Amino acid sequence: MTRQWGEKEKRILEKIRDNPFITQQELAKDLGLSRSAVAGYISQLTRQGEILGRAYLLPERERIICIGGANLDRKAKTSAPVEWGTSNPVEVRQTFGGVARNIAENLAQLEMDVALMTIVGQDREGEALLTECRRQGMDVSLSTALADYRTGSYTAVLDPAGEMVLALADMGIYDQMDKAFIHRYWSRIRTSYMVVTDTNLSKEGLKALLQRCRKDGLFLCVVPVSAPKARRLPPDLEGVSLWIGNGEELEAVSGISVQDRDSGESACRRLREKGVDRVVWTRGAHGVYWVEEEKKGWLKGTRTSVVDVTGAGDAFAAGVVAGLKKGRSLESACRVGLKLAARTVQTEASVSEEIIPNWLEEGREEKL
Ligand SMILES: Nc1ncnc2c1ncn2[C@@H]1O[C@H](COP(=O)(O)OP(=O)(O)O)[C@@H](O)[C@H]1O
Ligand SMILES: O=c1[nH]cc([C@@H]2O[C@H](COP(=O)(O)O)[C@@H](O)[C@H]2O)c(=O)[nH]1
């Protein structure tokens, strides 16, 4: 016999199916009911055997959750300087990318407890991507495959020196990572030790994530993916524990033109005035500038041969996050980041396969 549910019962069951950890308070708010009315419906549904019990959550005290993009990256490297308006001979390589996914993969290689929260399409690429993430040691139980959407893709044209000339992003799918998405999964996100987000999320999604992290006092690291997507961040950055980005992203968020060291420092200061605790400005081959409370400093880039710069910023961010998680100072964590970034530029993949967990060991910073 098929049971005939009222509209409210149906919506409550849908919400619980989406998120078995949802609280009665959250249900009440989402459905515009009082908490006691929700309690009544729930006890009725429980008596009828539709709800078997409540999910209990234990805090994932070690887990770093990375929220954002997971793409198929195609890199086309030209054999001679690019000529516009004509066909250029290239060699195309394909790997998995996406800023949040790249960071998560670096963290998994460092043997950190890491979860990836992303959205892929219900297509071959999406399936292969999540399978590979699982194999690499990430928890992808919070990642979803959506019908009617394509898995995100990123196509970059690189010059013969490995520097990016132009990149194309087909990532409409991430608009689904919106405010409702963050609220729906919040009870799972908030059990993590640290949250790392890229800026592939929608503007409203990012705002909701910032507000929720601030309210619950969760460590939040923001890593913008590009200058245009960095502009999705809200003007009030109170609640951002750490911001890591390059010069263009710094300029986009601070509104200050970054021309040299002085203007870069001013832009970092502006971010701190907007509420960010710690800021790291990555400067390509020149290294990084870091600033927190009373302390600040410049670190030189590692001299290395460059094959492909894709993913260098993501590797750097993963090194910093892992370093801080291990209790290092921001400066020392940046040294770990520099080491990971240097390894990444030496390979064609977006994430190097040669990241070694003992780079994180205490007392090794002088060797990094
Ligand atoms: N040409 C390079 N040589 C050495 N290290 C590099 C080079 N380009 C990038 N890196 C490393 O990667 C980090 C991030 O690179 P950057 O270009 O600043 O950011 P993004 O990759 O996000 O654009 C740098 O801080 C540096 O450590
Ligand atoms: O709008 C976006 N552009 C690019 C990326 C990802 O950024 C990485 C390249 O980063 P960078 O070039 O900053 O190192 C690639 O893996 C790509 O998939 C992304 O997530 N979102």
Side-chain angles (χ1 to χ4, degrees):
M1 190 184 80
T2 331
R3 210 184 286 271
Q4 293 300 307
W5 295 116
E7 204 43 46
K8 297 212 173 66
E9 287 94 330
K10 264 202 258 170
R11 297 208 49 210
I12 288 177
L13 284 173
E14 260 169 36
K15 293 238 161 232
I16 294 177
R17 210 164 278 128
D18 260 0
N19 172 15
F21 306 93
I22 196 163
T23 62
Q24 292 188 358
Q25 199 63 52
E26 285 165 336
L27 277 169
K29 191 161 170 253
D30 286 359
L31 301 176
L33 296 169
S34 67
R35 202 203 55 80
S36 60
V38 169
Y41 284 117
I42 287 190
S43 65
Q44 181 202 341
L45 289 164
T46 308
R47 270 197 312 278
Q48 289 164 341
E50 293 299 319
I51 298 175
L52 300 177
R54 172 133 160 67
Y56 286 95
L57 276 184
L58 293 173
E60 305 273 358
R61 293 203 193 283
E62 296 300 317
R63 188 176 70 183
I64 303 173
I65 185 164
C66 300
I67 308 178
N71 298 323
L72 189 66
D73 282 2
R74 288 190 200 94
K75 264 103 40 113
K77 195 167 183 179
T78 55
S79 43
V82 171
E83 284 188 50
W84 296 99
T86 184
S87 80
N88 290 257
V90 294
E91 218 175 85
V92 180
R93 285 199 80 240
Q94 205 161 285
T95 57
F96 292 123
V99 168
R101 199 214 63 89
N102 291 345
I103 295 174
E105 186 184 338
N106 278 288
L107 289 171
Q109 287 204 57
L110 288 170
E111 296 181 350
M112 309 299 283
D113 179 351
V114 61
L116 173 68
M117 186 172 182
T118 188
I119 303 185
V120 294
Q122 272 180 21
D123 45 28
R124 243 184 310 160
E125 292 81 1
E127 199 185 319
L129 189 149
L130 291 184
T131 304
E132 182 62 6
C133 289
R134 248 180 244 114
R135 193 193 63 76
Q136 287 163 338
M138 295 172 220
D139 170 2
V140 290
S141 61
L142 284 175
S143 292
T144 351
L146 283 188
D148 305 325
Y149 288 91
R150 272 187 313 280
T151 295
S153 76
Y154 170 81
T155 308
V157 178
L158 307 173
D159 69 15
E163 293 290 339
M164 190 239 283
V165 178
L166 170 82
L168 306 163
D170 176 4
M171 301 181 198
I173 189 170
Y174 303 132
D175 293 345
Q176 303 307 307
M177 297 178 103
D178 56 9
K179 185 174 161 186
F181 175 89
I182 295 299
H183 290 326
R184 182 168 345 122
Y185 290 108
W186 181 249
S187 50
R188 300 288 304 279
I189 300 171
R190 78 164 168 220
T191 59
S192 308
Y193 180 83
M194 273 181 173
V195 179
V196 179
T197 189
D198 67 24
T199 54
N200 282 307
L201 282 69
S202 77
K203 201 171 171 182
E204 289 308 312
L206 279 169
K207 189 171 168 195
L209 182 62
L210 254 73
Q211 284 173 343
R212 286 255 159 158
C213 285
R214 172 167 60 198
K215 188 160 159 273
D216 286 3
L218 219 66
F219 183 102
L220 172 66
C221 169
V222 175
V223 185
V225 302
S226 62
K229 286 190 181 173
R231 292 193 194 95
R232 293 181 177 180
L233 287 166
D236 177 5
L237 294 173
E238 200 70 54
V240 177
S241 319
L242 172 64
W243 185 98
I244 303 174
N246 65 23
E248 290 94 52
E249 292 152 356
L250 181 60
E251 193 165 309
V253 178
S254 66
I256 293 177
S257 158
V258 176
Q259 302 293 339
D260 49 24
R261 280 184 170 222
D262 284 349
S263 51
E265 261 195 275
S266 306
C268 292
R269 215 172 312 126
R270 177 66 58 83
L271 256 62
R272 298 207 62 236
E273 286 158 10
K274 282 168 166 281
V276 182
D277 259 358
R278 300 163 173 194
V279 179
V280 183
W281 163 31
T282 66
R283 306 170 60 240
H286 302 295
V288 300
Y289 171 72
W290 58 271
V291 53
E292 61 178 342
E293 286 176 9
E294 310 296 281
K295 296 188 214 139
K296 57 188 182 181
W298 302 87
L299 291 172
K300 280 205 181 106
T302 316
R303 270 178 185 277
T304 178
S305 53
V306 175
V307 178
D308 175 348
V309 294
T310 315
D314 312 341
F316 175 80
V320 177
V321 165
L324 291 176
K325 168 84 177 45
K326 289 278 182 191
R328 286 170 174 264
S329 67
L330 181 58
E331 177 176 11
S332 165
C334 284
R335 289 187 199 280
V336 182
L338 288 171
K339 175 93 178 163
L340 265 75
R343 263 312 145 89
T344 307
V345 300
Q346 291 163 12
T347 76
E348 283 181 331
S350 300
V351 178
S352 163
E353 285 173 5
E354 289 166 14
I355 308 287
I356 300 173
N358 80 7
W359 292 350
L360 277 171
E361 273 167 28
E362 210 51 65
R364 285 187 62 89
E365 55 267 58
E366 66 286 353
K367 300 190 192 80
L368 296 172

